[in-house]
Amino acid sequence: MSNHCQLTGTVPRFGNTMSHSHRRTSRRFDPNIQRRTYWAPSLGRTVTLRLSTRAIKTIDRIGIDAAIVRMQARGERL
């Protein structure tokens, strides 16, 4: 799955676009996925992750080691 955040598990959501005349057409809400490389002292190497911008802010707040623990608890491969 390409549009998927490794930390939060965010995936695309689906909904409708409403025109001015209230016609509904299907659309897709994609998460803002970015590729980031971090140095992980607990692993002793760099890890490249596909993260949403919200997850990048979470890593800035809690640190990369705590984020790695969360990802491994979800069963995510690093």
Side-chain angles (χ1 to χ4, degrees), residues 9-40:
T10 305
V11 294
R13 304 222 181 251
F14 298 90
N16 292 312
T17 298
M18 295 282 285
S19 71
H20 183 69
S21 64
H22 288 276
R23 281 181 165 264
R24 292 175 177 91
T25 54
S26 294
R27 66 159 293 179
R28 179 174 152 146
F29 296 92
D30 288 327
N32 187 2
I33 300 294
Q34 308 289 322
R35 187 176 296 268
R36 276 292 175 97
T37 302
Y38 292 96
W39 170 255

Side-chain angles (χ1 to χ4, degrees), residues 26-67:
S26 294
R27 66 159 293 179
R28 179 174 152 146
F29 296 92
D30 288 327
N32 187 2
I33 300 294
Q34 308 289 322
R35 187 176 296 268
R36 276 292 175 97
T37 302
Y38 292 96
W39 170 255
S42 61
L43 301 176
R45 63 183 176 94
T46 60
V47 287
T48 301
L49 303 171
R50 290 177 54 87
L51 301 168
S52 64
T53 51
R54 182 176 178 180
I56 292 170
K57 292 175 190 174
T58 301
I59 289 176
D60 290 343
R61 192 177 71 247
I62 67 172
I64 186 64
D65 288 330

